[in-house]
Amino acid sequence: MRDHGADDGWLDRAFLALADPVRRGIIARLSRGPATVNELAEPFSITKQAVSKHIQVLEQAGLVTRTRDAQRRPVHLAPAELERLTGWIDRYRLIHEQQYRSLDAVLEASVGDDTAAHHPKEKES
């Protein structure tokens, strides 16, 4: 796993790579297992050379890797890097979830106070 002390450059490259629908399609395909450039190019109406350039962008972002298997050079997902990316997103998602929970608690308390003010006898019984 790479060191991402200053995450901004890595995050910029990762999100820039994922901003393209072809590259997201490549990531989705690789989630089912390694594939060659030819296999990755099948669903797209672009050249294999263009697919290779998309793969290079994903490699530079650290989201995929290539290995050598005789004549083949299969492309693989880099799950640790994807996990690091989702971890970064989760950090902010959790902050917002906590804020919504706090808002829910305030609203519940407010509704309870409002009900007691409008129906004082119901509260007493």
Side-chain angles (χ1 to χ4, degrees):
M1 190 179 303
R2 295 186 307 177
D3 179 29
H4 299 293
D7 280 346
D8 287 350
W10 174 76
L11 285 169
D12 290 349
R13 284 188 300 278
F15 282 118
L16 183 65
L18 294 173
D20 186 279
V22 171
R23 292 192 283 264
R24 288 193 305 271
I26 290 171
I27 292 289
R29 166 56 188 88
L30 291 173
S31 69
R32 297 193 315 263
T36 63
V37 172
N38 287 342
E39 293 166 336
L40 291 171
E42 283 176 13
F44 303 107
S45 58
I46 58 176
T47 64
K48 289 175 191 161
Q49 189 177 25
V51 170
S52 287
K53 287 186 179 184
H54 283 296
I55 292 169
Q56 275 184 325
V57 172
L58 291 168
E59 275 184 300
Q60 290 167 354
L63 300 175
V64 301
T65 59
R66 288 190 210 203
T67 57
R68 184 167 295 281
D69 180 18
Q71 299 289 328
R72 301 179 61 217
R73 292 202 64 208
V75 182
H76 308 261
L77 273 184
E81 297 302 313
L82 288 171
E83 204 165 300
R84 180 181 289 265
L85 192 58
T86 56
W88 183 85
I89 292 169
D90 278 349
R91 186 171 49 193
Y92 296 102
R93 183 183 58 80
L94 293 174
I95 290 170
H96 284 281
E97 276 185 17
Q98 181 57 43
Q99 290 172 340
Y100 284 125
R101 277 191 222 116
S102 297
L103 180 60
D104 284 347
V106 168
L107 290 173
E108 264 182 46
S110 172
V111 168
D113 291 345
D114 201 34
T115 301
H118 287 95
H119 306 284
K121 289 184 180 180
E122 289 178 14
K123 179 90 174 176
E124 292 172 5
S125 58

